[in-house]
Amino acid sequence: MSNKLMGKVFDRELIDYYYLDLPIDDLIDRLHNLTFKADISKDYLPFNAQVRGYQGAIDSENCHWIIKKIDDESPFTNRLYELAYYIDFSLQTLAAPSMLIKIDDTYYRGSKVVLKGIQISGYNYTESPFKRVLANDLINRWLFFDEDRNPNNYMVIHNSKQLTLIIAIDYNKIDLETT
C-alpha cells in the first residue's frame, strides 16, 4: 500500500486496524482466515445500527464487527459488497473492512466497527477536508453503481496528530450485477 495513505493515517494502530500495509492478496487471505462469534454485548454497536437490526460480533483477532443476518439466497450479492470494499482498498480509499461472514450456519453482512467514529453528518462536509475527500470518493461510488451514497455512509476519526480521517462504510446499496 502506498506510503501516502499510511503517512496520512500515521498511527501504527490505525494502519494495522485497517490493514493498510497489506497487499490485496494478503488482505483477502487475512480476512478469510478470521473466525467470528456473536457478541451479545452492545458496547461497540452503534445505536443507529441496533435499531436497524444489526448485531455485534468479535473476530479471532478480538476486533468488533457489526453484522446483519442475510437471506439464504443472497450470499452472492453480499460477496459483491465485499468486492466493492476490496476495490476501495485497492484504490487507497480509507474504508471499514466489509465482508460476508458465516457464524455457525448463518450468513451475515459484516463490517469492522469504526472505533471512536462520528458520522460525517455531524460536520460541515461542504468544507475542507470533507469536500475534497467526498468529491474524490464519488468516483469510486460510480464504479460500484452506488446510488444511495450519502453522508451517513462515512465516519470521521482523528489520528494522534488530530488529522481528520474520513472512512467509507456501508456497501449494501452497490450494484455490480446490472449490465
Side-chain angles (χ1 to χ4, degrees), residues 29 59 62 71 86 94 119 121 134 142 165:
D29 287 343
D59 69 24
N62 208 31
D71 298 332
Y86 295 142
L94 188 54
Q119 283 190 318
S121 57
L134 295 178
W142 291 338
L165 303 172

Side-chain angles (χ1 to χ4, degrees), residues 15-30:
I15 290 168
D16 292 344
Y17 191 78
Y18 293 101
Y19 313 109
L20 300 180
D21 58 352
L22 294 179
I24 188 70
D25 292 343
D26 291 348
L27 169 71
I28 293 169
D29 287 343
R30 184 153 174 196

Side-chain angles (χ1 to χ4, degrees), residues 55-140:
Q55 302 169 269
I58 299 176
D59 69 24
S60 49
E61 296 177 347
N62 208 31
C63 293
H64 294 271
W65 292 67
I66 59 172
I67 59 173
K68 187 169 189 175
K69 185 177 177 184
I70 62 169
D71 298 332
D72 291 335
E73 298 82 38
S74 63
F76 174 75
T77 301
N78 284 271
R79 190 66 80 189
L80 292 176
Y81 304 155
E82 183 177 330
L83 177 62
Y85 161 69
Y86 295 142
I87 293 170
D88 261 353
F89 182 86
S90 296
L91 294 172
Q92 299 183 28
T93 299
L94 188 54
S98 299
M99 62 184 294
L100 181 66
I101 293 171
K102 190 173 183 180
I103 300 175
D104 298 323
D105 290 326
T106 305
Y107 284 104
Y108 298 88
R109 178 177 63 241
S111 187
K112 201 168 190 183
V113 171
V114 176
L115 299 173
K116 300 178 185 173
I118 300 171
Q119 283 190 318
I120 201 170
S121 57
Y123 292 87
N124 183 351
Y125 48 88
T126 63
E127 295 179 354
S128 278
F130 306 105
K131 186 176 181 177
R132 177 186 46 78
V133 171
L134 295 178
N136 288 336
D137 191 58
L138 183 58
I139 296 166
N140 292 21

Side-chain angles (χ1 to χ4, degrees), residues 19 27 46 77 94 115 122 148 151 158 169 176 178-179:
Y19 313 109
L27 169 71
T77 301
L94 188 54
L115 299 173
D148 183 50
H158 295 89
I169 62 169
L176 293 175
T178 300
T179 57

Side-chain angles (χ1 to χ4, degrees), residues 5-53:
L5 183 57
M6 288 192 304
K8 182 177 180 181
V9 171
F10 182 72
D11 297 339
R12 173 47 58 187
E13 178 181 320
L14 293 173
I15 290 168
D16 292 344
Y17 191 78
Y18 293 101
Y19 313 109
L20 300 180
D21 58 352
L22 294 179
I24 188 70
D25 292 343
D26 291 348
L27 169 71
I28 293 169
D29 287 343
R30 184 153 174 196
L31 289 177
H32 283 248
N33 283 309
L34 292 173
T35 56
F36 294 87
K37 64 180 179 179
D39 179 20
I40 59 170
S41 165
K42 296 188 185 309
D43 293 344
Y44 289 89
L45 193 61
F47 175 75
N48 59 341
Q50 291 177 41
V51 298
R52 294 189 327 202

